[in-house]
Amino acid sequence: AQTVTQSQPEMSVQEAETVTLSCTYDTSESNYYLFWYKQPPSRQMILVIRQEAYKQQNATENRFSVNFQKAAKSFSLKISDSQLGDTAMYFCAVNRDDKIIFGKGTRLHILP
Amino acid sequence: NAGVTQTPKFRILKIGQSMTLQCTQDMNHNYMYWYRQDPGMGLKLIYYSVGAGITDKGEVPNGYNVSRSTTEDFPLRLELAAPSQTSVYFCASSPTRTGYPEAFFGQGTRLTVV
């Protein structure tokens, strides 16, 4: 069974707009962490933001923020004031049973 | 500050050959992982380790083997390479399951089996 589901394979938005990437996950653990990673064309995996499930407050990192809905097992990423450099693959991930499991990714294009 | 180092960066292998992808980390992390990423796809977990001497299978372990004799090193062995193993391979490490448990990644190894 899929543990992490990203329902949007590809998205495009205009520069300076706000975009939201969706992610749902499955885990039976009571405390866990969720992550969003960015993979630009360089192939490097870059941590964008993390969220501890015990914390009700949504994590923010500059223009990046999450909407964490624990009961719904939903963990979306919002990018505000999008920039050309945000063009990349974005992966949602959860640490579960000593493993870190990734979704299939969303390819995001920021258009000039 | 090297982080996670993978070698080689690129390799072309013939069907049936074997090779070892090297991975070493200098952050004293307990957890280490091997993933493969097929074109346009996400990362699939091959094997992982929670400490020296302990390894376990991930989502797609067939055709691979690992060992973890030290905290620093986690090599991935491909026996009898097949075209289906053409992929980009990432090694990663993380310090713990709690605290800040995110994975730190190496630069990846692009492997082509012909």
Side-chain angles (χ1 to χ4, degrees):
Chain A
Q2 186 80 22
T3 299
V4 180
T5 302
Q6 295 181 246
S7 58
Q8 305 148 310
E10 197 160 359
M11 300 180 70
S12 296
V13 296
Q14 294 293 136
E15 190 177 8
E17 290 185 346
T18 295
V19 59
T20 299
L21 282 59
S22 302
C23 173
T24 58
Y25 61 92
D26 182 37
T27 180
S28 58
E29 299 185 3
S30 57
N31 193 25
Y32 50 90
Y33 282 79
L34 296 156
F35 313 98
W36 279 99
Y37 279 86
K38 170 184 178 181
Q39 187 182 44
S42 67
R43 198 171 75 193
Q44 180 65 35
M45 294 289 288
I46 303 166
L47 178 70
V48 175
I49 201 165
R50 78 172 80 82
Q51 173 80 42
E52 184 177 4
Y54 257 119
K55 294 185 177 179
Q56 294 187 350
Q57 185 173 6
N58 289 325
T60 62
E61 288 287 342
N62 300 315
R63 298 183 294 107
F64 299 87
S65 61
V66 299
N67 182 5
F68 175 48
Q69 303 289 330
K70 190 173 184 179
K73 295 183 178 176
S74 170
F75 182 60
S76 60
L77 174 70
K78 185 171 83 171
I79 306 174
S80 303
D81 186 26
S82 57
Q83 301 175 357
L84 297 178
D86 296 332
T87 292
M89 282 286 287
Y90 286 82
F91 294 101
C92 178
V94 60
N95 73 333
R96 161 182 165 157
D97 301 328
D98 291 327
K99 302 184 283 273
I100 299 178
I101 303 298
F102 287 80
K104 292 185 177 180
T106 296
R107 185 175 300 279
L108 178 64
H109 302 275
I110 308 299
L111 306 173
Chain B
N1 191 8
V4 179
T5 302
Q6 289 182 238
T7 55
K9 289 186 170 56
F10 304 93
R11 181 72 185 267
I12 298 174
L13 211 56
K14 292 185 178 179
I15 294 172
Q17 287 184 326
S18 300
M19 75 165 295
T20 299
L21 280 65
Q22 301 291 344
C23 176
T24 187
Q25 52 95 5
D26 62 359
M27 297 173 284
N28 200 32
H29 287 173
N30 288 327
Y31 290 72
M32 294 191 75
Y33 315 88
W34 273 106
Y35 294 91
R36 61 176 286 172
Q37 183 180 24
D38 298 329
M41 301 295 287
L43 281 73
K44 293 184 179 178
L45 183 64
I46 305 171
Y47 271 94
Y48 67 102
S49 169
V50 301
I54 306 169
T55 62
D56 210 343
K57 295 178 180 179
E59 303 164 287
V60 289
N62 291 344
Y64 307 95
N65 278 299
V66 294
S67 60
R68 184 95 183 271
S69 57
T70 67
T71 299
E72 294 78 21
D73 300 308
F74 191 42
L76 177 71
R77 178 80 177 164
L78 278 73
E79 303 281 2
L80 297 175
S84 61
Q85 293 178 304
T86 293
S87 191
V88 177
Y89 291 83
F90 286 97
C91 179
S93 70
S94 67
T96 178
R97 286 196 67 198
T98 58
Y100 294 106
E102 63 264 21
F104 294 76
F105 282 84
Q107 296 280 10
T109 296
R110 181 177 295 278
L111 176 67
T112 302
V113 181
V114 296

